Amino acid sequence: MTVDATSSLSTAPGLYVHLPFCSEICPYCDFYVLKGDREAKERYLEKLERELRLWEDSEWSEPFDTIYLGGGTPSAMEPEQLERLLSAVRSSLAVADDAYLQMEANPEDASRENLRAWRELGVSFLSLGVQSLEDDALKMLGRRHTATEGQRAVERALEADFPIVSLDLIYGRPGQTSRQWHRELRDALSLGTSHLSCYLLTIHEGTPFGFRTARGKMSILPDDHQADLFLLTHWIAEDRGIPGYEVSNFARSPADRSPHNRKYWHRVPYLGVGPSAHSFDGSRRWWNERKIRPWGRALDEERRPIAETEELSEEQREMERILMGIRTRRGIGPDLLGTGSEGKGIPDAVVEQLLREGLLRREGERVVATPRGWAMADGLAARLVSAG
C-alpha cells in the first residue's frame, strides 16, 4: 500500500477536553484521573465552564473543527452532563457547525441507552477501551468488564450506527506470547470495526505497575519480544485490510482515520482544557496544572490554569516535524530531505543507508518508515535529526 501523502488534513484547530473521572483507576494508567460522584462531576463542569469562558475572544479565532472528549473516562459522565459541556464549548468558543466529535468510553458504560444518547449528541468516532479480549488479562489490567462484555459493547456500538467505532487494546503484557496475541488480535479484528488502536504496555513510575516492577514483583517483556509483538501487530492488521497509519493506530481507509489525533501528529494547533491538558499554537506549547486543586484555584482567581509554557525554536520545530513524520504513514517530505527549497535537508547518504537497512522506504518524493522502522521509531528519528 502506498502512502496517501495528499490525503485531506484540516489545518483548523482542534479542542481537547479532559474529563478525569473513572470508576476505577487502572494500575498502568499515568493520566490524571479521579473518582467522583455526581456532585463532584457537577462541580468539575462548573470549573470547566469557567476555563472555557477565559478563552472567549482569544487568539483562537478560527473555528475549531474537531472536539475530543478524553480522560479519564468521558463515558463516566451522564449524557446530560456531556450535553451541558458541549453547550458551554459552543457558547464560549468559535466551533464549526459540522465539528467532528470524538469520545472515549468504557465497555461497561456502553449500554444501548447511553450509546443512543452519545450518538444524538453528535459523537462520530467512539473509542472503546476494551484493552483485552482475555479475562485473565483484563483482571491483571484492573479492568471492570469481562472479555464477553467488551465484545458485546463493540457489537452494540456498531448497531448504534456510529460512523467509526474503534477498539483500544494493550499488548506486551507480562508473559504474553506471540501465539496468544495473534489469537487475541485476530478475534478483535473479526468484530468488524474500522479503526484499531494497539498500545504496547508501558510501565510508568509512580503507578501501581511501576511500584511492582521496582520491587521485582512484576517483570516486563524483553525488548526483542516487544519488537516481535509490534511487528506481528502491523503484519496481521495489514493482512486483514486495516493497515497502520501511525505507530499505534490502524484504519480500514483514510476516511476512517482519527481527524482529531492527526492534528497532534501533523502539528496542527489544538487547545486543551481541564487539568493536565496540553495545547499547541504552531510555535508554542503549554500545559495546565496537573492536579485539580491548583487547576481549580487558578479558575477561582479568574486566570487561565497554565502551569508552564515552552517557546519552540525553528530547530525544535524542524525536529518535531521529523519525529512526527517518522511515526506516521505520511512520512517525511522533500522539504526536510534537501530536495525542496525550504528545509536544510537530511543528507542523502543517511537516507540511503536507512533504506538499505530496511527502516525506510521511498513513496514518490517522500520517505516513510517501514514496520521495522516504526518498531524503533524514536531511535530512527534520532538518527535523522542528528544528521539534518
Side-chain angles (χ1 to χ4, degrees):
M1 177 177 283
T2 59
V3 175
D4 184 12
T6 60
S7 62
S8 60
L9 174 65
S10 169
T11 58
L15 177 68
Y16 172 82
V17 182
H18 189 69
L19 299 167
F21 296 100
C22 286
S23 56
E24 295 290 338
I25 299 177
C26 299
Y28 56 85
C29 183
D30 189 42
F31 295 111
Y32 183 67
V33 295
L34 298 167
K35 291 184 179 181
D37 57 18
R38 182 180 178 85
E39 289 185 3
K41 294 169 186 175
E42 289 291 324
R43 291 194 298 271
Y44 182 79
L45 284 175
E46 182 182 340
K47 290 284 199 298
L48 262 184
E49 289 169 342
R50 291 188 191 182
E51 184 175 5
L52 288 165
R53 287 195 295 270
L54 290 174
W55 288 103
E56 287 180 345
D57 303 320
S58 68
E59 60 270 28
W60 297 92
S61 56
E62 186 176 3
F64 294 90
D65 71 350
T66 63
I67 301 172
Y68 189 105
L69 305 183
T73 312
S75 62
M77 310 290 284
E78 297 294 334
E80 57 266 28
Q81 292 175 322
L82 295 176
E83 183 177 18
R84 171 184 167 184
L85 168 62
L86 293 171
S87 177
V89 166
R90 293 187 177 276
S91 295
S92 298
L93 302 176
V95 178
D97 291 339
D98 60 349
Y100 194 93
L101 181 57
Q102 187 165 340
M103 174 180 162
E104 298 172 355
N106 274 341
E108 60 266 27
D109 299 324
S111 65
R112 284 187 171 83
E113 293 75 18
N114 279 345
L115 288 164
R116 189 182 308 114
W118 300 337
R119 189 70 191 97
E120 289 174 354
L121 285 174
V123 175
S124 294
F125 192 120
L126 184 69
S127 295
L128 285 171
V130 173
Q131 311 309 5
S132 176
L133 291 174
E134 294 185 356
D135 286 331
D136 288 345
L138 289 167
K139 185 176 180 180
M140 187 272 293
L141 292 169
R143 306 297 292 175
R144 298 178 64 229
H145 64 278
T146 65
T148 299
E149 289 166 344
Q151 180 175 331
R152 287 175 178 166
V154 173
E155 293 168 351
R156 286 195 297 269
L158 291 170
E159 291 170 359
D161 203 29
F162 288 88
I164 300 175
V165 176
S166 177
L167 266 71
D168 285 3
L169 297 174
I170 294 175
Y171 67 105
R173 306 182 298 262
Q176 187 179 37
T177 67
S178 296
R179 180 174 298 212
Q180 288 171 331
W181 176 231
H182 190 165
R183 181 181 64 244
E184 189 174 354
L185 185 57
R186 180 199 62 205
D187 291 345
L189 291 168
S190 71
L191 293 174
T193 63
S194 59
H195 191 280
L196 187 70
S197 296
C198 296
Y199 301 104
L200 269 165
L201 177 64
T202 302
I203 307 298
H204 297 283
E205 291 185 9
T207 64
F209 275 7
F211 292 130
R212 291 180 211 172
T213 303
R215 292 196 302 265
K217 296 185 178 298
M218 180 174 174
S219 58
I220 61 176
L221 294 180
D223 289 346
D224 58 347
H225 189 22
Q226 291 188 37
D228 289 344
L229 292 177
F230 178 92
L231 292 172
L232 180 64
T233 304
H234 280 266
W235 290 334
I236 293 174
E238 179 106 22
D239 183 64
R240 295 293 293 271
I242 186 166
Y245 68 102
E246 190 266 347
V247 167
S248 301
N249 287 272
F250 306 79
R252 197 166 298 283
S253 73
D256 294 311
R257 298 170 183 174
S258 167
H260 183 86
N261 287 343
R262 290 182 71 206
K263 294 182 187 295
Y264 302 148
W265 304 325
H266 297 295
R267 303 185 73 256
V268 175
Y270 55 89
L271 173 66
V273 294
S276 79
H278 285 231
S279 302
F280 173 63
D281 67 3
S283 61
R284 181 172 55 106
R285 295 187 183 280
W286 64 93
W287 46 97
N288 279 355
E289 295 285 357
R290 179 175 173 82
K291 295 187 176 181
I292 196 165
R293 287 187 178 177
W295 172 79
R297 187 161 48 247
L299 294 169
D300 289 341
E301 297 169 357
E302 293 297 320
R303 57 184 176 86
R304 295 172 184 170
I306 296 172
E308 291 188 56
T309 300
E310 178 186 19
E311 289 283 350
L312 300 176
S313 66
E314 180 58 39
E315 182 179 359
Q316 288 174 312
R317 291 197 291 271
E318 187 167 293
M319 178 180 68
E320 284 191 356
R321 291 170 64 201
I322 294 173
L323 289 169
M324 295 298 185
I326 281 299
R327 294 182 64 86
T328 67
R329 204 170 181 92
R330 200 178 187 197
I332 297 174
D335 57 325
L336 292 174
L337 296 175
T339 56
S341 60
E342 297 180 3
K344 64 179 181 181
I346 299 167
D348 290 340
V350 173
V351 174
E352 292 299 325
Q353 177 60 35
L354 294 170
L355 290 167
R356 287 193 295 271
E357 292 178 25
L359 302 178
L360 293 179
R361 68 171 179 264
R362 290 196 183 276
E363 295 284 358
E365 294 185 320
R366 310 182 76 84
V367 293
V368 182
T370 64
R372 284 188 57 230
W374 269 349
M376 51 172 294
D378 291 344
L380 176 57
R383 289 175 66 178
L384 291 168
V385 167
S386 63

